[in-house]
Amino acid sequence: MNFVLKIAAMVAALLVASAFVLLSTNWNLDPAYSIQFKGTKAEGTFSGLTGLVVFDPANLPAAKMEVQVAAATIKTGNKIKDGHARGESWFDVARYPEIRFYSTAFSRVGAGGYSVSGDLTMHGIKKPVAIPFQFTRQADKGLFTGKLRVNRKDFGINGNIFGFTVGDEFEVELRVPVAR
């Protein structure tokens, strides 16, 4: 009898845990997103964003972001710069084809903001980062907007002999519309 109660308790716990996952909102990434970066003398965009976003402001412990972007999609507005950025001295997209972010925790920040902490992997190096963001929702659509600062040298992106002209820190601005 004790065995039956243990099994029943385990099944009940699994059902409760499953209900929390089902109640969380899974979002599909809208192709109208933008990932922009700006530095001292370099700016541009990335495309090729894919991944999983589970987010419900009422259930932050169940939230999850596992997203990646193709490093080769970098665009600076100059084809020669784009070629250099994809090359071995910079992003080395042949060896490191993806930039990844996997969340580890979500929290509320201020009256209407949030922060997601997680691991950013770029150029084969994984570093913890926190991304403050806003989330707005209307029916089955939502919008994530956020900014973070990234130092390219923290990720081993040293550049070529002209790397000093680009600057080390970049502000990355994210605008990601989503739909259910």
Side-chain angles (χ1 to χ4, degrees), residues 8-60:
M10 286 175 47
V11 169
L14 283 173
L15 288 173
V16 169
S18 297
F20 278 115
V21 170
L22 291 173
L23 291 174
S24 295
T25 304
N26 291 354
W27 295 100
N28 297 311
L29 301 172
D30 187 304
Y33 67 85
S34 67
I35 303 170
Q36 299 179 330
F37 63 90
K38 296 176 188 168
T40 306
K41 300 230 179 182
E43 60 184 48
T45 63
F46 284 97
S47 56
L49 181 67
T50 60
L52 169 72
V53 176
V54 178
F55 185 76
D56 179 354
N59 190 7
L60 292 181

Side-chain angles (χ1 to χ4, degrees), residues 46-143:
F46 284 97
S47 56
L49 181 67
T50 60
L52 169 72
V53 176
V54 178
F55 185 76
D56 179 354
N59 190 7
L60 292 181
K64 180 190 299 191
M65 285 187 188
E66 295 179 357
V67 293
Q68 51 277 331
V69 66
T73 65
I74 189 170
K75 289 190 178 152
T76 64
N78 179 308
K79 288 185 181 189
I80 294 171
K81 285 183 182 180
D82 294 348
H84 288 296
R86 293 180 186 118
E88 289 178 18
S89 298
W90 294 94
F91 281 96
D92 196 359
V93 300
R95 285 182 59 198
Y96 310 108
E98 290 183 332
I99 299 168
R100 294 186 304 270
F101 176 78
Y102 289 3
S103 65
T104 55
F106 286 78
S107 60
R108 290 196 184 279
V109 176
Y114 304 91
S115 181
V116 57
S117 298
D119 294 321
L120 177 62
T121 303
M122 187 166 41
H123 200 252
I125 296 175
K126 180 168 56 172
K127 295 278 183 183
V129 298
I131 305 171
F133 70 94
Q134 299 286 317
F135 177 72
T136 55
R137 179 178 179 176
Q138 291 185 339
D140 286 346
K141 295 189 178 206
L143 176 64

